[in-house]
Amino acid sequence: MATKILGIGSYVPEKVLTNKDLEKIVDTSDEWITTRTGIKERRICSPSEASSDLGYKSALNAIANAGILKEKIEMIITATITPDMPFPSTSCIMQKKLGLDNIPCFDINVACSGFIYGLEIARNFIDSGTYSTILIIATDCMSSVTDYTDRSTCILLGDGSASAVVAKSDEGPGILGSYLGASGKYAELLYMPAGGSRQPASIGTVSQRLHYMKMEGSTVYKIAINSMVDAVNMVLKKTGISKDDISLFIPHQANLRIIQSVGKNLGIPMEKTFINIERYGNMSAASVGVALDEAARAGKVRKGDIICMVAFGSGFVWASNIIKI
Ligand code: ACO
């Protein structure tokens, strides 16, 4: 028996925010954003949409794609850094929306690595025999923590969601292995200072714009490349898979130049690398899952393929895995 992704689904909000739109808001240009990041547009929630609304739609798509009754789900793990509210967990909100009850639900806060961390947590619960079917929902409304007066961050981020049903299956091999990493010493290079117990919301924190994401972009850029290269090498070593055996490489979609550098360092050609950053920007936890779903729907995932995913985000937290279809 193998532990595998039985079904995958994604959802992005309808509203499109283009580089041309951003030119009207901050001192930037389509040319600068395109050449420095590869991003042309991103999706933005409507005022009535929150992370659980996107998550609900991607979860329904994943459950339908898995071909199971939702009642088979025994646990919900939601990966988000933009929960609907500090508590209860977005997972509990998702459980209610899905009409399920009395199954364990919890959130994980690992930023852009959320989809891969979620898969690995689910795999361990399943491999240990505790549960057999787990729903992972990676969902972020980054627009809710984006400062649209800060040109160095607002051009990067977008909203979206991806879900996966992970289950025991007699059709293997499934998830071959994962590598998880983190380093809290870099916490303040990419963070949201206020809104937690350290600096609860106040007129002062709002007026100082402390409820938005702050990032030292060029330092994050360099560490992101090294960490993702290291994470892929670690998971290749762990699973005994050669980089040449990778059929499809799905890196986190934060910046096209980061993706190109990671691929070049690893010796993985761009033809094997899935890229959709031009349409969505960085959707944090959702990016890798949305890419996997789009790759599958585009016919780029075939029986016997070996897929390598890798991500990096706030924390810093990074993760990689290898899946055989
Ligand atoms: N338009 C025009 N000019 C800009 C813009 C903009 N939108 N943003 C910055 N600039 C300017 C800067 O002010 C600077 O000007 P100066 O030289 O006069 O001071 C110049 O462009 C260069 O700025 P850099 O920050 O050095 O630009 P860089 O090439 O590093 O690109 C970027 C910035 C795109 C943010 C890049 O550093 C990056 O992608 N960083 C990593 C992002 C990432 O991976 N985040 C991790 C995941 S996010 C998460 O976890 C939620």
Side-chain angles (χ1 to χ4, degrees), residues 210-239:
L210 299 180
H211 297 272
Y212 294 121
M213 185 187 107
K214 313 284 177 195
M215 180 172 71
E216 283 186 34
S218 54
T219 314
V220 175
Y221 184 96
K222 290 175 203 133
I223 302 172
I225 294 169
N226 291 337
S227 303
M228 288 203 278
V229 169
D230 184 52
V232 172
N233 282 326
M234 292 301 279
V235 80
L236 288 173
K237 199 172 161 197
K238 209 170 160 180
T239 54

Side-chain angles (χ1 to χ4, degrees), residues 28 32 36 112 151 190 215 217-218 254-255 257-258 282 313-314:
T28 191
W32 193 96
R36 296 290 183 122
C112 311
R151 69 177 181 171
L190 175 50
M215 180 172 71
S218 54
N255 184 320
R257 289 187 299 140
I258 293 179
N282 180 352
S314 169

Side-chain angles (χ1 to χ4, degrees), residues 3-4 33 50 66 68 103 116 141 164 169 180 182 220 232 254 294 304:
T3 299
K4 63 180 282 190
I33 302 171
I68 59 160
I103 56 168
I116 301 174
C141 293
S169 167
L180 307 180
V220 175
V232 172
E294 289 200 340

Side-chain angles (χ1 to χ4, degrees), residues 240-262:
I241 299 281
S242 151
K243 71 171 169 52
D244 300 326
D245 294 332
I246 295 172
S247 331
L248 183 64
F249 181 47
I250 304 186
H252 176 50
Q253 313 278 310
N255 184 320
L256 181 60
R257 289 187 299 140
I258 293 179
I259 295 172
Q260 287 164 336
S261 292
V262 170

Side-chain angles (χ1 to χ4, degrees), residues 102-117:
N102 273 327
I103 56 168
C105 294
F106 59 90
D107 287 4
I108 55 171
N109 176 334
V110 284
C112 311
S113 302
F115 188 73
I116 301 174
Y117 256 70

Side-chain angles (χ1 to χ4, degrees), residues 18-227:
T18 65
N19 292 350
K20 289 280 172 204
D21 296 329
L22 284 167
E23 283 180 357
K24 295 175 202 144
I25 304 172
V26 285
D27 181 14
T28 191
S29 65
D30 174 41
E31 199 269 333
W32 193 96
I33 302 171
T34 306
T35 52
R36 296 290 183 122
T37 72
I39 302 166
K40 296 298 278 185
E41 59 186 45
R42 60 295 285 146
R43 299 300 181 98
I44 303 293
C45 285
S46 71
S48 65
E49 277 176 316
S51 290
S52 73
D53 300 307
L54 309 188
Y56 175 64
K57 288 179 177 156
S58 74
L60 289 183
N61 289 338
I63 294 165
N65 184 245
I68 59 160
L69 290 173
K70 65 181 184 188
E71 287 73 20
K72 290 277 283 180
I73 294 164
E74 297 165 300
M75 171 182 273
I76 301 173
I77 304 169
T78 301
T80 185
I81 54 169
T82 53
D84 284 21
M85 55 194 81
F87 58 89
S89 73
T90 304
S91 265
C92 283
I93 296 168
M94 295 297 324
Q95 188 207 57
K96 184 180 173 206
K97 277 183 195 281
L98 288 165
L100 299 172
D101 202 13
N102 273 327
I103 56 168
C105 294
F106 59 90
D107 287 4
I108 55 171
N109 176 334
V110 284
C112 311
S113 302
F115 188 73
I116 301 174
Y117 256 70
L119 288 177
E120 181 59 2
I121 295 167
R123 184 174 78 92
N124 277 278
F125 271 118
I126 292 170
D127 285 354
S128 69
T130 315
Y131 300 104
S132 57
T133 308
I134 297 178
L135 174 65
I136 295 144
I137 302 161
T139 187
D140 267 313
C141 293
M142 293 308 290
S143 63
S144 67
V145 293
T146 298
D147 185 347
Y148 286 99
T149 66
D150 175 5
R151 69 177 181 171
S152 68
T153 55
C154 74
I155 54 145
L156 299 170
L157 304 163
D159 302 338
S161 176
S163 293
V165 176
V166 180
K168 265 245 154 321
S169 167
D170 48 16
E171 277 181 52
I175 303 170
L176 298 183
S178 306
Y179 173 74
L180 307 180
S183 188
K185 69 183 177 211
Y186 299 118
E188 289 181 12
L189 291 178
L190 175 50
Y191 75 135
M192 191 174 102
S197 55
R198 178 72 56 198
Q199 293 196 70
S202 68
I203 292 168
T205 61
V206 171
S207 62
Q208 290 171 70
R209 310 185 78 76
L210 299 180
H211 297 272
Y212 294 121
M213 185 187 107
K214 313 284 177 195
M215 180 172 71
E216 283 186 34
S218 54
T219 314
V220 175
Y221 184 96
K222 290 175 203 133
I223 302 172
I225 294 169
N226 291 337
S227 303

